Structures are given as structure tokens and as C-alpha cells.
Amino acid sequence: MALVDRLPKHLFTTRGWGLLAAGAISLGCAYVMGRRDLLSLAVLLLVLPLVALAGVRVLKPKFQVYREFNPSTVETASTTTVRLAVARSSYSTGHVIMEEQLPPRFGEPPAFRFPARSASGGTSRYEYHLRSGKRGQFRIGPVTAEFSDPFGLSLRRHSIDDGDILTVTPAAVELPVTGLAGARGNDGVTATRIRANPSDDDIMTREYRHGDPMRRVHWAATARHGQLMVRQEESVTTPEATLVLDQRFTAFAGGTGSVFGGHDDDSDLVTSPSFEWIVTAAMSITSHLAERNYSLRVLDAFGSPAFSRSRSAPEPDAEEFAGAGGLQAIAEGLAAIELSGPRHARGEHHRTDHSTEHRETGTSTADSADSAFDDRLMDKLAAHRLRGPLLALLGSLTPAEARALAPAAAYGANAFALVVADASRSNEEVLEILRLAGWRVAAVTPKTHLTAAWSSFDEGGIVAAAGAAMDVRRGAAVPR
């Protein structure tokens, strides 16, 4: 048995190797005994496995594979169901053993026999489940088929499809309600007072609906239209929030943000514990605000669309998102987002030049770290001045970077920042610069509970931050 186990399994089955061994023994006996009948038997036993081997190499069957994920994108730690439909597109006989190839994180690959016992119409259907604890994009498949000849003497294994990409998005953490959700800005809820000019009646009134108070009936408009009309005292527009998502390699590569990823990681993402915390925060905050009907803008530290370098983004150049579709686009963009931009020498071993070439495109990654939070970002923020809260999710900042970002507080109805603290140095100077400029700041580490950090943006903090921001708008100097 030990000798049989050492024989190559991709050429012959145990039966095939047995026939070859019997043929060799028969050939030896025919030579020693001079028996022509043993020689004929030996030739038959030796030739039959070889003919079977040639047959499965030349006449390999063809299959069609259809793979479906349900749901099509899945959150981390959630389960997706994979459904396979396999049909033979050419005539062939013999048994076929199939195996779905999976990244190592998903465990042992599932194996199944074709055709299945429940096959109908020539198509066999299979189902299994996958779950990933990390975000990213993973190639599921291909299906490899191991088939044999009709006599079961030889084996052949080959891929019958190219596989499909499964997108795993970060899971959102449910955040408590804070005063931040009420920071709607000047365009959030606009009070429209009824004016005496009759020409405004048609614009400021609407038909009476059951439950409207009678005190809101507009009698002049009622007389003109012949039906009850009520004053429409408020015009509600969609509130807007802007999120600045720091993705710079230099902001997350040191201290608690040691970078991992690359060829040793099957998701091939350059990330760190600190950046993973930021990604989860971005998913949770956008989900929290989207549930409250906010439209969202997501930018990077250079003013570019935040997902311009994300392989999983459905629309890499988009920066404005609204509704359930917009939230789904954000989730998919965050699935494969990673650190980018110039790197220190200590980080170069994580990725080879050719593996990062296709990600580090565009002017933002070509700039030095000192160009972050420059005029391009400020112009983007000024274009939507005071339309709603401004939130910044940041890595470690230098005092110079903090001073560059500080004036941005004047462009939001309120300004909030979560800064991942670097354990190797004090961030107090950076935090103080931002606070004096009008930012409401919370310093966090990768071990900080997101709900606790979010709860620090309470009403008292908002009022204080708003007051400081007004000082900045009146011309108060930002510390240099």
C-alpha cells in the first residue's frame, strides 16, 4: 500500500496502475517461460491503460458552469450562498469528480460528483456556503474536473471555467443617535414664510389632506381654487454630509498601524489595523447618515473621489452618493480600498513594484505627503459650503498637516474628526490645532469601540465646536 500511495495520482487510477503492474509481471513471465499467450496478455495489460491515458488527454469533455452568489455582495462575518449549475457541452462517458477552488481563508474546497443524483435536463446543481471575516475581493473557482475513461484506468484534471469574484464589504456598526445627525446645515431644513404677495399663493400652498390643522388653511387660495388649500410652511431639502477619508500609506504605517498585506494575503490588500478601524468607521457613519436621508460626499485627503483607486468600486470617479443605491456603492468601494501613495522605506517590502503600479495612478498618489489637505480639497469643500456636517477620518497627522486641514472646519455646518492615535508619539499638539480651529475631535486607537468614539460627538461638543468654527469664519487665526 505504501508503494501505491507513492504513485502519481494524476495519470492512472489504482486500477490502471494495477493493470500496468500485472502487464509487467506477465511480460517477465513470458520471457522466462517462453509462453506466447503470456506475451499477448502482457501486451494487452500494458497497452490498455496507455490507450486510456491518451483518450482522456485528447478527448477531454467540455462543460458549462454558471455560478451565483446570494447575496451578490456579502458583509464580513455574514454568509453567502454559492449556487453552481454545471452542464456537459460535449459527449463523454465515465465518472467526473469536481472540486471548487477557494482561497485558503475559506477552508477546504467543496468536492462533488457529476452528474448529480438530482440532475435534470442534463444540468447538475450544487450549493454551498462561504463566510469571510475580512473584507476584500476573492476569486471563487475555477471548478476543476477530474474525469476518467470508461474503464476507470486513467485520470485527467483540468479547469472548466475561470471563476467569479466575490466582494466582501465591511460590516456597519450600529451607532447611537447623537447631535451630529441634526447638523443639517443651511440647506437642510429651510423655513419658508408665507408672504402677502398673492402671486406666491400657488407656490406656497397645496391641497388639504386629512389630518392637516384648520389653522393652516389658506382662504384666499381656497376661494380661487374652489377647494381647501393649506399653507406649506416648510420646504425640506435633502441634508448633505461630506466625509474625508484618509488613505495615505504614511498616515497608517507607523506605531499601531503596522502595515500588512501583499502576496502573503489572499485578498492582496495593503492595509493595517488602524486603517481597518477607519474603514469600519466610514461604513458605519455613512450607513447611519444614509438612514437619516443624508446625501453623502466622500473624498480623500487630496480632494479626489475617495474610491478612485479601489478595485471594487462600481464607479471609481463618483464622489456623491444618495439613497440605498449610493450606500451600496460606498460599501462596494470600501470592500477593496487600501493604503496608497508614497511610502517609507520600511514599507517597501510589503508590495513589489509591479503589484502596485496599477493602483498608484493619478495626481494624488504622485504627490508627496505634505500636499495632503491642500487647495484642491479646500476648493471641493468650499463648493458645498455649510450644506451639512463635515467629517474627517484620519490617520496620524503631523502638526503641519493639522494646520493645513484646520481651516476646513469653516466649510461645514459642523466639523468632526476621528484621529487614529499613534502610540509612538503624542498627538496632543495635532488635536489642539484642530480643536482651536473649530473641529470636534476624538482620538482613537484600533481597539477603541466605535460607538464610544461616536458618542463623544454629543450636543455639548457640537455647540462648542460650532462656536469655535464661527470664530474661524469671523477671521480668528489658526495657530501656526
Side-chain angles (χ1 to χ4, degrees):
M1 291 298 295
L3 179 61
V4 173
D5 293 337
R6 294 181 182 179
L7 296 174
K9 302 297 184 183
H10 62 283
L11 295 177
F12 300 102
T13 64
T14 302
R15 181 185 301 173
W17 284 114
L19 288 184
L20 288 175
I25 294 173
S26 298
L27 183 62
C29 292
Y31 177 77
V32 172
M33 301 172 64
R35 298 283 301 270
R36 296 177 64 91
D37 54 345
L38 285 178
L39 178 60
S40 300
L41 178 61
V43 172
L44 176 63
L45 293 176
L46 292 173
V47 170
L48 189 58
L50 296 177
V51 171
L53 177 63
V56 297
R57 292 297 189 273
V58 175
L59 303 175
K60 61 181 181 181
K62 297 180 180 179
F63 298 88
Q64 292 180 335
V65 178
Y66 175 74
R67 184 182 291 100
E68 179 186 44
F69 303 115
N70 185 27
S72 56
T73 60
V74 61
E75 293 183 349
T76 55
S78 296
T79 299
T80 185
T81 300
V82 185
R83 296 189 177 97
L84 281 174
V86 183
R88 200 193 305 264
S89 58
S90 64
Y91 176 76
S92 178
T93 58
H95 300 291
V96 181
I97 302 299
M98 295 185 175
E99 186 175 85
E100 176 88 295
Q101 301 303 306
L102 298 177
R105 71 168 59 252
F106 292 107
E108 291 294 325
F112 41 90
R113 181 182 293 271
F114 181 91
R117 293 181 179 179
S118 58
S120 61
T123 301
S124 296
R125 291 176 171 81
Y126 311 91
E127 183 177 296
Y128 65 95
H129 306 283
L130 292 178
R131 183 172 61 180
S132 174
K134 292 186 177 180
R135 64 183 179 89
Q137 285 191 308
F138 307 94
R139 180 167 294 278
I140 305 302
V143 172
T144 58
E146 183 181 86
F147 55 91
S148 65
D149 61 280
F151 301 102
L153 301 179
S154 180
L155 293 175
R156 166 74 173 179
R157 177 187 290 267
H158 72 99
S159 299
I160 62 176
D161 76 317
D162 297 326
D164 292 290
I165 298 298
L166 173 64
T167 299
V168 180
T169 63
V173 176
E174 185 175 356
L175 300 177
V177 177
T178 66
L180 185 151
R184 291 175 176 262
N186 292 344
D187 290 345
V189 177
T190 305
T192 306
R193 297 184 179 276
I194 299 297
R195 290 171 287 181
N197 190 343
S199 64
D200 291 330
D201 288 344
D202 291 338
I203 300 176
M204 301 304 174
T205 60
R206 60 171 173 81
E207 294 180 1
Y208 175 84
R209 298 170 188 166
H210 180 71
D212 286 336
M214 292 302 294
R215 60 182 172 80
R216 292 182 57 187
V217 173
H218 194 286
W219 296 110
T222 297
R224 185 165 56 256
H225 289 278
Q227 58 180 332
L228 280 176
M229 304 293 290
V230 297
R231 292 188 298 269
Q232 190 167 324
E233 296 179 350
E234 289 186 345
S235 175
V236 180
T237 59
T238 302
E240 181 181 285
T242 299
L243 189 72
V244 177
L245 181 60
D246 195 357
Q247 309 166 37
R248 297 171 299 138
F249 186 92
T250 52
F252 295 92
T256 60
S258 300
V259 173
F260 59 82
H263 297 298
D264 295 333
D265 188 356
D266 50 41
S267 66
D268 199 31
L269 292 179
V270 177
T271 184
S272 71
S274 298
F275 188 62
E276 289 301 305
W277 194 97
I278 288 292
V279 170
T280 301
M283 185 70 255
S284 304
I285 291 172
T286 54
S287 177
H288 181 79
L289 295 177
E291 290 176 356
R292 286 151 181 80
N293 298 320
Y294 276 79
S295 64
L296 303 165
R297 281 201 312 160
V298 189
L299 306 172
D300 67 9
F302 303 91
S304 300
F307 306 125
S308 59
R309 294 176 300 279
S310 172
R311 292 172 294 173
S312 58
E315 298 181 21
D317 296 329
E319 62 183 43
E320 297 187 9
F321 307 90
L327 183 61
Q328 180 63 26
I330 291 175
E332 293 183 24
L334 290 172
I337 198 169
E338 59 184 340
L339 299 175
S340 59
R343 309 178 181 193
H344 295 303
R346 66 174 181 269
E348 290 298 326
H349 70 280
H350 292 285
R351 298 293 292 275
T352 59
D353 293 339
H354 72 272
S355 65
T356 57
E357 181 179 353
H358 70 287
R359 294 182 180 87
E360 297 189 4
T361 58
T363 57
S364 63
T365 54
D367 296 335
S368 66
D370 294 335
S371 63
F373 316 117
D374 59 4
D375 291 342
R376 184 180 180 184
L377 174 63
M378 297 303 165
D379 291 342
K380 284 286 187 72
L381 299 179
H384 291 242
R385 184 184 182 94
L386 304 181
R387 292 189 182 179
L390 171 63
L391 302 101
L393 304 179
L394 308 168
S396 296
L397 301 180
T398 64
E401 291 168 347
R403 284 190 285 269
L405 176 62
Y411 299 124
N414 291 285
F416 308 87
L418 291 173
V419 182
V420 178
D422 187 346
S424 64
R425 65 180 182 181
S426 173
N427 275 345
E428 285 304 318
E429 181 181 359
V430 168
L431 302 180
E432 188 64 18
I433 291 172
L434 295 178
R435 289 190 182 112
L436 290 177
W439 287 88
R440 175 67 176 170
V441 186
V444 300
T445 70
K447 296 182 179 180
T448 302
H449 290 291
L450 179 57
T451 53
W454 182 255
S455 296
S456 66
F457 298 135
D458 55 15
E459 284 291 348
I462 290 176
V463 172
M470 290 301 297
D471 290 339
V472 173
R473 294 171 197 140
R474 296 188 188 104
V478 176
R480 299 286 179 180

